[in-house]
């Protein structure tokens, strides 16, 4: 997809923007019952809290959604457990959460487990388990999983620089991974740019810097990276990392959803539902 912003009729955009602007407040003021009725709104709220490093508040939402098997919530709880964000780092807990998320169809959890089992440092090495989870992610269209499957079990020398950075991340060498992602991102690799943006957002391997995360998400989003487009949409909608701009948020959300990025598809559907918003 081109990085050009989508052309939308001003009246349509204004109407949608007003719906989303109202629903932002609904998400921020929402409670357990609201999250269960509308998981997309709950995940939106939790992600906004995560961006502000309010990990306890994010965990509360995700734990509520995890009770009903929401894959996105389970995966994000795994991230909190793996990285020790707002709680002690616990890889066994992270493995359990990632596995539940993967079984619920979350492609990020499937890919993460595949990488962790393949790398064999943060979790015991198990090539067969790695193959199973990477295959699931690949069947869902994850390009990184497809590429990793092709080199599974091969020596590190056969990996591309991006794949080496991914394996560094999977072995807990976050500082080294961030350095390699930065080199690749500065050379125009939009996937590496997105990975590095996430690292700045969470403070993984680099000092946490929401402004730098936003800058890098925007660079990758303009280049057409759906994951970055979704992250940027949330930043514009919450005013965290970017000044709040509901119209721009909707443009980026539509672009990410247009590439079938699951969280964006769910968020857009929720925002367009009568009487329901994010």
């Amino acid at each position: 997809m081109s990085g050009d912003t989508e052309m939308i009729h001003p009246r349509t955009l204004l109407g949608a923007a007003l719906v989303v602007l109202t629903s932002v407040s609904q998400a921020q003021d929402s409670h357990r019952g609201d999250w269960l009725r509308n998981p997309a709104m709950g995940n939106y709220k939790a992600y906004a809290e995560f961006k502000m490093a309010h990990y306890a508040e994010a965990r509360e939402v995700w734990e509520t959604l995890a009770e009903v098997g929401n894959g996105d919530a389970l995966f994000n709880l795994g991230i909190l457990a793996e990285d020790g964000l707002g709680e002690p780092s616990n890889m066994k807990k992270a493995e359990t959460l990632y596995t539940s998320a993967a079984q619920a169809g979350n492609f990020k959890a499937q890919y993460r487990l595949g990488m962790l089992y393949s790398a064999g440092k943060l979790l015991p090495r198990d090539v067969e388990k790695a193959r199973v989870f990477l295959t699931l992610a690949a069947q869902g269209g994850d390009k990184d999983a497809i590429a990793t499957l092709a080199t599974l079990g091969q020596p590190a020398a056969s990996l591309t620089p991006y794949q080496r950075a991914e394996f560094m991340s999977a072995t807990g060498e976050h500082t080294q991974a961030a350095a390699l992602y930065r080199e690749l991102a500065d050379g125009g690799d939009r996937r590496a740019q997105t990975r590095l943006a996430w690292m700045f957002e969470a403070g993984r391997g680099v000092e946490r810097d929401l402004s730098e995360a936003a800058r890098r998400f925007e660079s990758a989003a303009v280049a057409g990276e759906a994951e970055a487009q979704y992250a940027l949409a949330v930043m514009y909608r919450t005013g965290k990392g970017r000044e709040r701009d509901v119209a721009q948020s909707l443009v980026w959300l539509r672009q990410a959803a247009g590439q079938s990025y699951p969280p964006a598809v769910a968020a857009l559907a929720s925002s367009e539902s009568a009487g329901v918003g994010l």
Side-chain angles (χ1 to χ4, degrees):
M1 173 180 287
S2 166
D4 294 338
T5 54
E6 182 180 342
M7 294 300 295
I8 304 174
H9 191 282
R11 183 175 298 174
T12 302
L13 182 58
L14 177 59
L18 289 173
V19 170
V20 176
L21 182 59
T22 300
S23 62
V24 167
S25 296
Q26 292 174 346
Q28 291 172 337
D29 298 332
S30 61
H31 300 286
R32 177 183 173 87
D34 302 313
W35 310 331
L36 292 172
R37 282 190 296 273
N38 187 354
M41 179 179 69
N43 276 309
Y44 161 80
K45 173 181 171 60
Y47 183 34
E49 297 289 358
F50 179 90
K51 281 185 178 296
M52 294 181 283
H54 297 166
Y55 302 124
E57 290 83 352
R59 183 182 299 104
E60 180 186 2
V61 181
W62 284 328
E63 285 180 343
T64 297
L65 294 177
E67 293 173 10
V68 293
N70 184 274
D72 288 341
L74 288 161
F75 171 74
N76 287 314
L77 286 172
I79 291 291
L80 294 180
E82 179 180 346
D83 287 349
L85 298 173
E87 63 182 286
S89 179
N90 186 331
M91 279 307 302
K92 187 63 179 176
K93 179 181 178 181
E95 180 184 19
T96 299
L97 289 163
Y98 287 149
T99 301
S100 295
Q103 292 170 343
N106 184 277
F107 71 94
K108 286 187 177 182
Q110 293 162 351
Y111 177 70
R112 186 64 182 162
L113 280 173
M115 294 300 297
L116 289 168
Y117 286 130
S118 177
K121 186 169 182 179
L122 298 180
L123 292 178
R125 181 174 171 80
D126 191 323
V127 175
E128 287 312 306
K129 279 188 177 181
R131 191 182 309 280
V132 167
F133 286 111
L134 287 170
T135 298
L136 287 172
Q139 289 172 344
D142 187 277
K143 294 178 181 178
D144 290 335
I146 294 170
T148 302
L149 272 174
T151 59
L152 189 62
Q154 295 182 14
S158 66
L159 303 180
T160 66
Y162 177 80
Q163 288 175 322
R164 289 201 300 273
E166 290 285 87
F167 270 90
M168 287 176 186
S169 176
T171 57
E173 300 171 273
H174 299 309
T175 301
Q176 298 91 324
L180 185 48
Y181 284 135
R182 186 191 298 270
E183 180 181 334
L184 294 169
D186 292 346
D189 188 320
R190 68 190 194 188
R191 296 175 305 163
Q193 189 76 277
T194 302
R195 288 287 194 271
L196 186 57
W198 286 120
M199 297 180 90
F200 274 109
E201 185 169 89
R204 175 189 272 189
V206 293
E207 185 176 349
R208 186 175 182 274
D209 186 333
L210 204 55
S211 294
E212 181 66 5
R215 185 181 74 81
R216 291 186 178 275
F217 276 136
E218 186 160 26
S219 175
V222 169
E225 190 71 5
E227 188 174 345
Q229 290 168 350
Y230 172 73
L232 189 60
V234 176
M235 284 184 155
Y236 273 120
R237 193 170 299 171
T238 61
K240 306 304 176 185
R242 280 284 179 268
E243 186 175 347
R244 179 176 289 180
D245 187 327
V246 178
Q248 276 298 305
S249 173
L250 186 60
V251 167
W252 289 115
L253 186 64
R254 286 183 181 276
Q255 290 210 27
Q259 297 194 70
S260 302
Y261 185 66
V265 171
L268 188 61
S270 178
S271 70
E272 292 179 342
S273 295
V276 177
L278 295 178

